[in-house]
Amino acid sequence: MTVAIQQQIQHIFYTEGRLLALQKGTRIPLDDELAHHIAYIHKGHVQLTQQTLGGKELTVRICSEAGLIGDITLFAQTSTSPFSATALTTVELYVLPKTVMELRMQQQPDAMIEYMQWLQLENLKHQSLLRDLVLHGKKGALFSTLIRLANTYGQPQPCGSIFIDLALTNTELANLCGTSREMINRMLNDLKKHHIISFDKGYITVHELEQLKHAIDCENCPIAVCRID
């Protein structure tokens, strides 16, 4: 696994899955047409969001290539996916009924082990993110999100900065942090004023990653855990 899915599970999707190509901004019907299906992201980025009863939207994850979305809890009777999914870029998915994946897991113990390893890693990522949100408030949520984006989509620059190669609006960033766009605007401008980050047309460059880490008492988790996908 890059941090996601290894060759055996990938092979199951490639040989038995249905390829689905989607344009940027397209809603992915996890809660109706693709209910009780698992989707493997072959190309692109997918945003998973959850909406409260009051209408507030929270982005749970931004999933990348080699990630899984949909009804991922095998061998359990679950309801439809609690998340809404949207293609952030052009996306290609391999979609497979959950029942088919369960059958292949029974036939291929090595693939089952891979799947369990992936689920355990997902749990660690969620626990780590929850810790940051609870302990450090809105500012900590932004700093943690920037660190995770840098670990996931960062491209090191010769000057030592890290360019995050994923364009996000301030609204999308606010949804990732569970706060308002206005608050994100203020915090981003403050970070820019102190030369910790810079941004242009939705792309963020982190100049002082260590300062962000220090501000949230970063425990230097493995990169595989400190990610946004």
Side-chain angles (χ1 to χ4, degrees):
M1 302 184 184
T2 43
V3 267
I5 298 302
Q6 280 279 22
Q7 291 183 353
Q8 292 192 57
I9 293 178
Q10 185 185 69
H11 181 71
I12 294 172
F13 280 97
Y14 284 174
T15 56
E16 300 193 49
R18 169 169 62 98
L19 180 61
L20 186 63
L22 301 165
Q23 295 301 310
K24 178 181 178 179
T26 304
R27 174 184 168 273
I28 303 171
L30 297 179
D31 54 349
D32 42 65
E33 180 187 341
L34 298 182
H36 309 302
H37 283 66
I38 303 177
Y40 173 87
I41 303 173
H42 174 63
K43 176 184 177 181
H45 306 295
V46 174
Q47 176 180 265
L48 292 183
T49 60
Q50 195 165 17
Q51 197 168 51
T52 67
L53 292 176
K56 186 175 181 180
E57 192 174 80
L58 174 67
T59 298
V60 181
R61 294 168 58 198
I62 296 178
C63 305
S64 307
E65 296 174 8
L68 296 181
I69 59 174
D71 194 355
I72 62 173
T73 306
L74 300 182
F75 305 107
Q77 296 298 319
T78 58
S79 59
T80 55
S81 173
F83 306 120
S84 298
T86 305
L88 280 181
T89 61
T90 299
V91 170
E92 292 181 0
L93 304 174
Y94 280 90
V95 180
L96 194 66
K98 178 180 174 180
T99 52
V100 174
M101 178 60 81
E102 290 172 341
L103 179 61
R104 294 295 169 262
M105 293 294 101
Q106 293 178 63
Q107 295 171 339
Q108 303 177 36
D110 288 346
M112 172 64 85
I113 292 172
E114 285 183 4
Y115 198 85
M116 291 174 62
Q117 290 172 335
W118 177 79
L119 283 177
Q120 290 170 346
L121 188 55
E122 290 299 292
N123 287 334
L124 287 174
K125 285 194 285 188
H126 294 159
Q127 290 171 15
S128 173
L129 181 58
L130 181 62
R131 178 200 63 209
D132 290 343
L133 294 177
V134 171
L135 292 181
H136 301 290
K138 301 301 183 183
K139 183 177 288 189
L142 174 61
F143 290 8
S144 174
T145 298
L146 291 173
I147 293 167
R148 292 169 192 277
L149 285 168
N151 288 340
T152 309
Y153 304 109
Q155 295 183 354
Q157 305 298 297
C159 61
S161 299
I162 300 175
F163 173 73
I164 298 174
D165 191 19
L166 178 68
L168 294 171
T169 66
N170 284 6
T171 298
E172 289 168 336
L173 197 55
N175 290 342
L176 272 170
C177 299
T179 188
S180 67
R181 180 174 59 85
E182 292 75 18
M183 181 170 287
I184 287 295
N185 290 344
R186 289 197 296 271
M187 290 192 292
L188 288 177
N189 285 324
D190 187 57
L191 290 174
K192 182 179 180 180
K193 177 182 176 181
H194 290 87
H195 309 292
I196 295 173
I197 67 167
S198 59
F199 42 86
D200 180 46
K201 297 179 181 178
Y203 289 96
I204 296 174
T205 300
V206 179
H207 303 295
E208 299 292 344
L209 185 64
E210 291 304 317
Q211 285 195 40
L212 295 177
K213 290 183 175 182
H214 178 74
I216 61 170
D217 302 319
C218 179
E219 297 179 354
N220 290 314
C221 300
I223 296 296
V225 172
C226 189
R227 296 175 61 91
I228 205 72
D229 58 3

